[in-house]
Amino acid sequence: MFPTRALRSGGGGGPIGKYGKFLGDWGNFGGQPQRGIISYTVSSNRQNPLAGTLNDAIFNTWRRFSSQVLYIAPPLLLAYYALSWATERNEYLNSKAGRKEFAGDE
């Protein structure tokens, strides 16, 4: 086994690096703070988190609806037409005229 693997495994906590500096175990890195990194943020009371929400919601909803309507509408219309035809046919066959017309078929 190589000594570097044992040192970098995190169990021993031995010296690591060129000058034998200990970086710390996982979650406990005790190194020097980095320099030269600049980050900018906007104060939370200066942000507008709902800016453009209503406008984006309307156009996003329309875009999603228009891209899916041709997949949903034709089967729904076909199912509605078939259901209404079947309901009318059932009502006719169970009426006096329907029973009289198809009485001998059974």
Side-chain angles (χ1 to χ4, degrees), residues 14-63:
I16 297 178
K18 186 175 179 181
Y19 300 107
K21 300 289 185 190
F22 178 69
L23 292 176
D25 290 326
W26 285 106
N28 254 343
F29 294 120
Q32 295 289 328
Q34 292 185 349
R35 296 174 58 180
I37 297 176
I38 300 170
S39 62
Y40 298 97
T41 60
V42 177
S43 174
S44 60
N45 61 352
R46 301 294 284 174
Q47 295 178 7
N48 187 1
L50 298 177
T53 303
L54 186 62
N55 188 30
D56 292 343
I58 291 170
F59 289 113
N60 191 34
T61 302
W62 174 253
R63 179 187 56 83

Side-chain angles (χ1 to χ4, degrees), residues 74-90:
L76 284 178
L77 291 174
L78 185 67
Y80 177 77
Y81 175 74
L83 214 65
S84 65
W85 174 83
T87 303
E88 282 182 25
R89 181 75 174 159
N90 185 37

